[in-house]
Amino acid sequence: MNNTGIKDNKSINSIDSITNMAFNLRLKSPALTIKYATTAFSLAKKTNYLNGLGEACRVIGIGESYLNNYEKALDKYLEAILYFEQTHNFNAIGKVYNNIGNLYLSSDYDKALEYYTKALQIAKKYQAKPEIARLYVNIGIVEMKKKNFSEALEKFQLSTQLFKEINAPDLIVTCMQNQGEAYNYLKQYQKAETILQEAFTKAQALNLNVTIANINLTLSNVYLNQSKFDKAEKTLTNGFEYARNLDNRDLQNDYNYAFYQLAYKKGDYKTALGYLKQNFSQDSAYYRQSFSKRITLASDLFVQLENRTKNERIIAQQKYATTLFWSSATVAALLAALVCLLIINIKRTNRSNTELTRLNIEVSKQKEHADLLNRYLEEKIDERTKDLKVKNKRLSEYSLHLSHQIRGPIATLKGIVYLQENSMIDQEECIDLIKKCVFNIDEEIISMSKTLNDNHGLNPDKI
């Protein structure tokens, strides 16, 4: 779907593997998350793997956010969007919207909800269950901060079900911690304590240090609300060590404030005041206001980025429209040329058909003439054949008659020759008889020829 910028699948898999490892470390060691994601970014840059660059920036931003470096986190999120925009990876952009919503979570609930909603729409479009589940968690947290606890619990339950389907035990623990916090606000302390203790056990098994610190903080609030000061102090002490090891400034401030509440409720006001001084000599309201200003300034930068992205899209659309126009014009010109060629071809075909029709007519006329000539010749041949038959018949009759007429004189000649051979007749008489027979034969032939010629139109000279 997206142009990654490279074709080396081995490099892609290696970079993605490092980035995933960095992401999975976010709840254990955000510093390691930043370290490994930075390594993945360097590798992706060498191979021009655009999606890898975007995801590495996003994970670095997540690590910075867990260390409360919100300006750095937002810079990385904006950089991630730039890379994802180039590959049209809208699913990944939705993840970044979720991350930006997390930055607003402590200062502007409506703004956070706005980004969560945008991210949820994209996640549902691409049917990304992990992202949908995370967004339900975040939306539930917003609802809880707005004191809509029933809606928050509903979202947490939906998230838990989805996390079970995709087998994400670390995120299930996060949901349990949020549910415990919601039950605490609802003053259902027994439910809250039970689910938080179960979450704590699972978080320890998974070595989720950030989650353990948050669970302990929530659990200490449950104990404080029940005036179980010993349990609260023990839980706070344990959780503060995690917060300090994580170097999480906001989490340490939250623990200092919880220690202040514990000391205040126990009536130890001097100790309570000391915790307030430790909290960076500023109360919670001032800290939230300061953060709000910083995140607002960063938000302005993000708006500018969005506007620039929109302008780039408009320019790209204009270029596309221009290209489409000239492409359409070219296609139209080609179609016009094709139509002209078809018209010319049709005209040529018509002329050819006309010429063929004329030739067919000429051939038909010649055929008729040939037929007439053939019939004439056939008639002549028939006439000649009939005439020849008649002449042949007459010749047969003439031959028969001639042979009959001359047979007698010839027989006489044969008798004279016989007499001469046997010396039964003298020579002079023999000659006279022979002459007489010859003349008789000649007269018979002349007489027969004349008869045949006069009566039957025979020409003896042409027979």
Side-chain angles (χ1 to χ4, degrees), residues 6-42:
I6 61 173
K7 297 180 180 179
D8 187 354
N9 290 329
K10 187 176 180 181
S11 297
I12 291 176
N13 293 335
S14 177
I15 294 167
D16 289 345
S17 178
I18 295 171
T19 307
N20 289 334
M21 180 178 66
F23 178 77
N24 292 332
L25 287 169
R26 71 196 185 284
L27 298 176
K28 300 176 183 179
S29 175
L32 287 177
T33 291
I34 296 171
K35 178 182 176 180
Y36 288 120
T38 302
T39 301
F41 180 86
S42 299

Side-chain angles (χ1 to χ4, degrees), residues 136-163:
Y136 279 147
V137 171
N138 294 336
I139 292 171
I141 292 172
V142 173
E143 295 291 353
M144 186 166 59
K145 290 183 179 295
K146 294 171 74 172
K147 302 188 183 306
N148 300 323
F149 302 117
S150 298
E151 290 83 350
L153 283 170
E154 181 183 348
K155 292 295 187 296
F156 295 148
Q157 288 166 0
L158 286 173
S159 298
T160 302
Q161 181 61 37
L162 289 173
F163 286 141

Side-chain angles (χ1 to χ4, degrees), residues 40 92 118 165 199 259 268 305 314 436 443:
K118 288 168 66 175
E165 291 178 9
F259 276 119
D268 189 354
L305 174 65
I314 291 172
K436 185 176 180 180
E443 287 178 359

Side-chain angles (χ1 to χ4, degrees), residues 8 38 76 158 206 307 352 358 377 380:
D8 187 354
T38 302
K76 286 299 177 181
L158 286 173
L206 295 170
N307 290 335
S352 298
R358 186 188 66 78
L377 290 174
K380 287 294 182 182

